[in-house]
Amino acid sequence: MPETKKRPRATPRAILTFDLDCFYASVAIRSRPHLKDKPVVVVQKHLCVTSNYVARQRAHGAVQKMTPVSKALRACPDLVQIDGSDLTPFRAANAEVMAIVRDFLQSRVTTLCKKLAQPPFQSPCQRQGLDEVFIDVTQLVAAEISAGGRPYRFEGHVFGATDDDDMHRTLMVASQIASELRREISTKTQLTLCAGVSDRKLLAKLAVDMHKPNNQTTFLPGNAKEYITAMPPRKLPGFGYAMDTKVQAWVKEAPGRPEISTAGDLVHRFSDGRKGLQELAAIVGTEAVARTVLGLCQGEDDSEVLESGDAPKSMASMDSFRSCTSMEDLRRRARERSTDLVTRLLRDGQRFHRRPRTLTVGYRFRGGGYHGAMRATSMPAVVSSLSSSKGGDSVDVCIGAIQKAILLVLREHGNISASSTFDLTLLTVGATNFTNQLASNFTNKTLSGNENNASLQGIANFFRKSDASVTHMPQTKPTEPSLSIDSPASSPQATGSCPICDHKLPPNIVLATRHVDRCLRGKDVTVKAAKTACNTRRVDSFFSKR
Ligand code: DCP
Ligand code: MG
């Protein structure tokens, strides 16, 4: 068996994952209580992005996420459709839940630390998209155990085994915290959720899906390896589409290569010590990635819960359409995307006192299948003065500048011009590489003019968070990094990370843009490849940041 890096830990960790039940549907129904017992789907562009559990039962599994509405209606003719193209209510519900989580943890820590006469600590929370969060409650559990008074028993379901008493006790208390937090969230928001509890993110993430909805499972890690090695690698959180494609391509490359249909097959195939590792590295990129993959396939995951903030690392506004063949239509669409982005940048600036330095433009031509391209360029300088007191036209100027930049990218890289023939089916515009250097630059003025600057939170109040920003195009679940993602910021000081490889970008804008551009050009990135590259790398680093 190849050696995988594993840092021994003195005490077992306690990691919680929460995942809200049929999130968009629950949020939509919350404001339409008369729909509570009706089968409901949330629709984006003729696809059901989710459904409530009434619909799931009524349609006997035929209303899956991303099912075309027409097909769903055949399975369940009385489906109620709710338009989910505006993500504002879902973002707001996410913020509501995160605030409850933080309040709960903070108040628990304050009480315990007072009782134990010890300095307070923070339980890191890492948002994953709009409806998931990881929380490291190791210290909190330790404080609970020191303070005493809790019965040693599990809350909810338990999966697996362990003979480690410390682990048992730790996860028992963690499961109680998970249960209390779930109750708190449900009572305050009327939204139900599931929890996964374990000593590592990987297992907590697997546990959260074991009993749904409104339930929780503790995954005891004793026989995690046995469980994981029997799974198809693609089912492992972190083993992305790109990785799977590479591995399966390798299998097919030469006749006689054994199938890799389980994580165990992969481990077995590359278990030949250093040679195996190097062989796998040749497939997946580097030895570090190979090591991570081998660890993952054996249930190992020592990655930390990274404290995240409310500030997304990047944001994007995407639209897909049947056809766009004229410059006039393209200008209009570019303006729409630009307006949406600027609206959100303005709010973002007011809240986080920062501005983006890189603009990303994604596009796809008809006939390119799922494929498209993404380019990065410098954010028009005028966006930094979106905050200046230039009067009402600052917003318009920025919208115009970004619209122009989009058209320029399309002309330079997509060869689109008034004299060319084209048929575009997707356009996305994004902002990334945020800097908070211009902390005071953002204006008090909002597009709606009704936000109170006094209520804006400083960048110091930083919790990592990613925020889905699909405006019209439901292609992937927003928790996955893709063109449609506002992905999480890593730290308040960070100047930003590459939206493709997730590596920290150099502070110099020219170098940063060059890096993103190189990353994008590297494989002549397609929309999907960009997404999967993002997925893979992010999860690779997610599992390898130790
Ligand atoms: N979503 C989306 N596109 C997808 C999948 C999901 O836009 N391809 C949105 C709708 C979901 C939300 O993301 O409500 C959260 O995704 P989940 O996979 O957690 O799905 P749900 O919360 O809806 O259902 P579950 O109860 O299975 O968690
Ligand atoms: Mg969910």
Side-chain angles (χ1 to χ4, degrees):
M1 210 82 351
E3 264 181 46
T4 53
K5 261 189 199 163
K6 200 172 178 195
R7 198 175 56 196
R9 288 182 184 271
T11 52
R13 290 193 299 163
I15 311 291
L16 314 182
T17 314
F18 292 102
D19 183 337
L20 285 126
D21 298 326
C22 49
F23 181 53
Y24 286 11
S26 304
V27 172
I29 293 168
R30 185 171 63 159
S31 54
R32 300 164 178 87
H34 60 285
L35 296 179
K36 194 170 159 283
D37 301 317
K38 302 245 181 328
V40 172
V41 282
V42 176
V43 177
Q44 285 176 359
K45 292 233 162 176
H46 312 297
L47 293 175
C48 307
V49 287
T50 195
S51 55
N52 65 349
Y53 278 81
V54 180
R56 293 183 199 191
Q57 276 150 17
R58 192 81 65 83
H60 304 292
V63 187
Q64 306 267 345
K65 285 166 209 164
M66 309 312 280
T67 303
V69 175
S70 51
K71 189 176 167 200
L73 278 171
R74 281 199 294 279
C76 184
D78 58 339
L79 267 186
V80 179
Q81 298 173 48
I82 297 178
D83 176 30
S85 51
D86 178 8
L87 298 188
T88 314
F90 312 128
R91 291 197 185 106
N94 172 272
E96 210 183 315
V97 170
M98 288 307 294
I100 295 168
V101 168
R102 287 173 194 134
D103 281 355
F104 175 95
L105 294 169
Q106 198 179 348
S107 104
R108 207 38 90 75
V109 167
T110 310
T111 312
L112 283 168
C113 289
K114 213 164 152 189
K115 189 169 172 188
L116 298 167
Q118 70 174 60
F121 53 84
Q122 194 182 19
S123 305
C125 299
Q126 183 176 347
R127 268 190 35 163
Q128 294 288 108
L130 286 182
D131 86 330
E132 284 179 47
V133 60
F134 282 111
I135 310 171
D136 185 334
V137 290
T138 309
Q139 265 186 291
L140 183 56
V141 167
E144 291 276 12
I145 291 175
S146 305
R150 273 191 183 269
Y152 284 120
R153 62 174 161 75
F154 286 108
E155 285 290 336
H157 297 268
V158 184
F159 179 83
T162 179
D163 49 12
D164 180 333
D165 288 347
D166 268 357
M167 174 80 71
H168 241 117
R169 264 195 299 276
T170 299
L171 295 184
M172 277 172 172
V173 174
S175 76
Q176 293 166 23
I177 295 171
S179 166
E180 288 154 20
L181 197 37
R182 279 181 48 234
R183 201 173 313 125
E184 179 94 350
I185 293 168
S186 295
T187 310
K188 291 192 168 158
T189 65
Q190 302 156 46
L191 302 172
T192 62
L193 64 159
C194 288
V197 182
S198 196
D199 70 332
R200 59 201 91 164
K201 286 158 102 177
L202 171 63
L203 303 187
K205 174 86 180 142
L206 289 172
V208 77
D209 287 337
M210 284 180 176
H211 294 94
K212 291 175 101 167
N214 197 15
N215 221 317
Q216 66 177 67
T217 309
T218 302
F219 194 141
L220 299 176
N223 38 16
K225 186 169 172 178
E226 203 182 320
Y227 181 79
I228 301 269
T229 49
M231 287 175 72
R234 181 70 183 94
K235 294 251 176 224
L236 292 173
F239 200 100
Y241 168 87
M243 185 78 70
D244 197 46
T245 308
K246 283 181 199 166
V247 170
Q248 296 310 332
W250 178 85
V251 169
K252 291 193 181 82
E253 213 171 71
R257 281 187 179 158
E259 292 286 313
I260 294 185
S261 48
T262 65
D265 290 344
L266 190 144
V267 174
H268 184 252
R269 176 59 189 79
F270 300 103
S271 62
D272 194 5
R274 178 122 199 106
K275 188 168 157 259
L277 191 70
Q278 282 170 346
E279 234 181 323
L280 183 58
I283 302 167
V284 299
T286 63
E287 280 193 21
V289 176
R291 205 171 278 121
T292 304
V293 169
L294 284 170
L296 184 62
C297 287
Q298 296 172 78
E300 290 169 15
D301 167 28
D302 208 8
S303 61
E304 305 290 343
V305 173
L306 299 170
E307 177 59 42
S308 56
D310 287 331
K313 189 172 64 180
S314 57
M315 58 177 71
S317 174
M318 180 190 271
D319 193 13
S320 68
F321 28 86
R322 230 170 253 288
S323 178
C324 169
T325 54
S326 71
M327 279 310 285
E328 194 192 341
D329 193 18
L330 180 58
R331 263 186 224 109
R332 182 181 63 79
R333 291 186 186 279
R335 189 157 188 95
E336 274 173 14
R337 292 300 105 236
S338 174
T339 305
D340 185 41
L341 188 69
V342 169
T343 307
R344 287 171 46 207
L345 282 178
L346 198 57
R347 296 216 171 99
D348 181 273
Q350 288 167 336
R351 190 157 180 220
F352 302 115
H353 302 196
R354 61 184 192 156
R355 66 171 173 81
R357 299 192 295 186
T358 304
L359 179 76
T360 52
V361 179
Y363 51 95
R364 183 178 64 196
F365 290 108
R366 174 166 305 284
Y370 195 59
H371 299 276
M374 193 163 87
R375 293 282 157 192
T377 183
S378 304
M379 186 61 77
V382 70
V383 170
S384 64
S385 58
L386 185 56
S387 51
S388 72
S389 48
K390 276 190 178 163
D393 53 302
S394 156
V395 167
D396 277 346
V397 170
C398 288
I399 292 173
I402 291 181
Q403 178 196 22
K404 205 166 151 195
I406 297 171
L407 295 172
L408 221 96
V409 168
L410 291 175
R411 194 178 71 193
E412 278 182 21
H413 301 285
N415 292 321
I416 289 181
S417 68
S419 56
S420 65
T421 322
F422 61 88
D423 191 358
L424 215 63
T425 57
L426 177 137
L427 183 62
T428 175
V429 57
T432 187
N433 193 17
F434 283 88
T435 172
N436 59 346
Q437 284 161 355
L438 303 182
S440 59
N441 251 5
F442 278 98
T443 182
N444 294 349
K445 188 181 172 301
T446 65
L447 288 170
S448 59
N450 59 3
E451 281 193 31
N452 179 3
N453 197 41
S455 69
L456 301 177
Q457 294 177 12
I459 195 94
N461 179 14
F462 217 83
F463 294 89
R464 185 176 167 126
K465 160 166 146 183
S466 65
D467 183 4
S469 64
V470 182
T471 51
H472 297 290
M473 188 183 181
Q475 281 203 339
T476 54
K477 178 182 170 179
T479 52
E480 294 177 349
S482 75
L483 289 179
S484 61
I485 292 297
D486 287 358
S487 35
S490 50
S491 80
Q493 284 78 34
T495 53
S497 311
C498 172
I500 303 305
C501 72
D502 214 23
H503 283 121
K504 194 163 183 250
L505 288 169
N508 179 303
I509 181 63
V510 178
L511 296 179
T513 309
R514 211 176 280 162
H515 170 98
V516 178
D517 208 28
R518 247 204 323 269
C519 242
L520 288 164
R521 264 199 328 261
K523 296 170 195 137
D524 206 5
V525 171
T526 61
V527 171
K528 178 147 192 190
K531 183 188 80 179
T532 47
C534 246
N535 270 346
T536 313
R537 298 219 179 93
R538 186 162 171 217
V539 175
D540 289 341
S541 54
F542 162 88
F543 283 113
S544 63
K545 268 177 200 153
R546 288 139 213 250

